[in-house]
Amino acid sequence: MSAEEKDAMHKLVLDQLEDDQAQDVVSIPLEGKSSIADFMVIGSGRSTRQVASMAQKLAENLKKAGYGPVRLEGLPAADWVLVDAGDVVVHLFRPEVRSFYNLERMWAFGDAPPVGDS
């Protein structure tokens, strides 16, 4: 996938999460840090229902946009749902679960403050 296509997919993800009223959305560039993806996007939903809905809608819209099949993990419980679109990986959490795992700090290699800090 070209850099322009990766950037377009990343923008689609961010726009969709904004439309779905995801909270505290953070995007971490992983290019050069990890081979798993070029971007990791992390966001929160107010409830398991919202987290599940955001994940399903995002997967559908990525597929419609031609980014191929998207893998979803964690959908039944929806405390933490992983949306794996290849070059963009999205983690959607309930706020309590997100603060427990604090992926921002782990993947930003110290560049990001803990969730909830100003």
Side-chain angles (χ1 to χ4, degrees):
M1 184 179 288
S2 72
E4 292 81 20
E5 290 172 318
K6 291 175 190 178
D7 288 342
M9 183 188 338
H10 182 235
K11 182 178 180 345
L12 185 152
V13 167
L14 294 176
D15 290 348
Q16 184 64 55
L17 292 177
E18 183 178 336
D19 289 349
D20 290 341
Q21 299 178 357
Q23 299 175 330
D24 302 319
V25 175
V26 174
S27 179
I28 302 171
L30 295 180
E31 193 170 11
K33 291 182 181 180
S34 175
S35 62
I36 64 167
D38 287 337
F39 296 99
M40 178 180 295
V41 178
I42 303 169
S44 298
R46 293 179 296 280
S47 66
T48 55
R49 184 178 298 211
Q50 185 188 15
V51 169
S53 175
M54 287 189 303
Q56 289 172 323
K57 193 170 180 184
L58 181 58
E60 288 170 14
N61 286 337
L62 285 165
K63 188 174 180 181
K64 281 182 195 173
Y67 295 112
V70 176
R71 289 189 36 219
L72 292 172
E73 299 287 334
L75 202 51
D79 286 331
W80 174 2
V81 178
L82 170 71
V83 180
D84 184 353
D87 292 310
V88 179
V89 175
V90 183
H91 295 272
L92 299 171
F93 292 96
R94 280 188 314 100
E96 307 81 38
V97 178
R98 180 176 178 175
S99 65
F100 178 79
Y101 287 102
N102 200 1
L103 292 183
E104 289 94 330
R105 170 154 268 152
M106 180 184 353
W107 280 100
F109 298 102
D111 297 339
V115 174
D117 282 9
S118 300

